[in-house]
Amino acid sequence: MSDLQQLLDNNARWAESITQRDPEFFAKLAKQQTPEYLWIGCSDARVPANEIVGMLPGDLFVHRNVANVVLHTDMNCLSVIQYAVDVLKVKHILVTGHYGCGGVRAAMQNTQYGLIDGWLRNIRDLYYEHCKSLEKLPTEEARVDRLCELNVIHQVANVSHTSIVQNAWHRGQPLSVHGCIYGIKDGRWKDLNVTVEGIDQLPNQYRLRPLGQS
């Protein structure tokens, strides 16, 4: 028996259940993808994007990495954002972290893990920036969870500071960047109320002129 047999059987049951509900679903899905949402989330296996928000395939364009980080040097993430904004014309970017994130926890410690240490440097810097306020929290779990929230807020800013998103706003394209967090313990997805909808919400030093303007 194939090592993948259980997964293949699961897939067959899943495809059949979808087809029973909507016989034309996969035919329509194959024609085009027109999602209104880009999800930027964590790679954690316990955080399945579509299921959390009750959406079917085709409803979310998804990018995931360890600790839902958005770096200005990450061509993978930036390419996803560019395609989602410029080609798919998504209306919402959902930066979604989760409580108890292992990547965030690792960034708070001095243990070496390997290549991932460089990736988490962005969050480590954020931790030391806020360490005094975090130290006032009563438990390690509370500190980790608060840094998970601060990380989402920081990544919302990083998304908003990209020329991709700002050029969309210059064009008058409707686009909102949201910060959300998921609770693995209760399954709840929460809005952190840090939505950015236009350049006027950005600090002056991060505002970029429209293309072609000197």
Side-chain angles (χ1 to χ4, degrees):
M1 178 180 291
S2 167
D3 292 340
L4 301 180
Q5 192 57 53
Q6 182 179 350
L7 301 183
L8 293 168
D9 292 341
N10 290 347
N11 168 255
R13 286 191 292 269
W14 171 78
E16 184 177 351
S17 67
I18 294 289
T19 303
Q20 286 177 351
R21 291 201 300 268
D22 181 358
E24 300 300 318
F25 177 81
F26 289 109
K28 291 183 290 187
L29 190 66
K31 291 180 180 177
Q32 61 180 345
Q33 62 168 339
T34 55
E36 293 191 3
Y37 304 92
L38 165 61
W39 174 287
I40 300 176
C42 183
S43 298
D44 193 301
R46 301 167 295 174
V47 189
N50 286 71
E51 292 181 32
I52 287 172
V53 290
M55 288 187 168
L56 291 169
D59 294 332
L60 285 180
F61 195 58
V62 178
H63 175 78
R64 295 170 69 176
N65 61 51
V66 175
N68 43 274
V69 171
V70 178
L71 300 178
H72 70 280
T73 53
D74 181 6
M75 292 299 105
N76 184 350
C77 183
L78 293 179
S79 295
V80 170
I81 295 172
Q82 189 270 325
Y83 186 79
V85 171
D86 293 350
V87 180
L88 298 178
K89 307 293 185 185
V90 299
K91 294 183 173 64
H92 303 274
I93 298 176
L94 312 173
V95 181
T96 298
H98 67 94
Y99 291 123
C101 179
V104 170
R105 188 186 302 275
M108 299 171 70
Q109 301 168 350
N110 58 9
T111 304
Q112 281 198 48
Y113 293 95
L115 185 62
I116 190 70
D117 297 328
W119 178 257
L120 297 176
R121 175 62 184 271
N122 181 261
I123 304 175
R124 188 181 298 274
D125 291 343
L126 189 66
Y127 171 57
Y128 283 106
E129 180 182 343
H130 293 276
C131 63
K132 289 186 178 179
S133 62
L134 291 170
E135 285 171 358
K136 296 177 183 178
L137 297 174
T139 65
E140 180 185 352
E141 289 305 310
R143 291 189 285 274
V144 170
D145 286 350
R146 179 54 182 157
L147 188 56
C148 289
E149 293 178 341
L150 291 171
N151 181 46
V152 168
I153 294 167
H154 185 62
Q155 306 312 329
V156 165
N158 285 347
V159 172
S160 303
H161 297 165
T162 65
S163 59
I164 301 162
V165 168
Q166 293 192 38
N167 283 335
W169 286 330
H170 285 311
R171 293 192 298 268
Q173 184 175 331
L175 180 63
S176 300
V177 185
H178 308 270
C180 305
I181 197 154
Y182 174 68
I184 291 175
K185 292 180 179 178
D186 61 10
R188 296 291 184 170
W189 185 63
K190 183 172 71 174
D191 186 354
L192 291 176
N193 297 311
V194 291
T195 298
V196 183
E197 298 177 306
I199 290 178
D200 59 330
Q201 291 178 254
L202 303 182
N204 285 330
Q205 65 267 33
Y206 294 111
R207 298 183 188 184
L208 302 173
R209 292 192 185 95
L211 279 170
Q213 270 195 18
S214 58

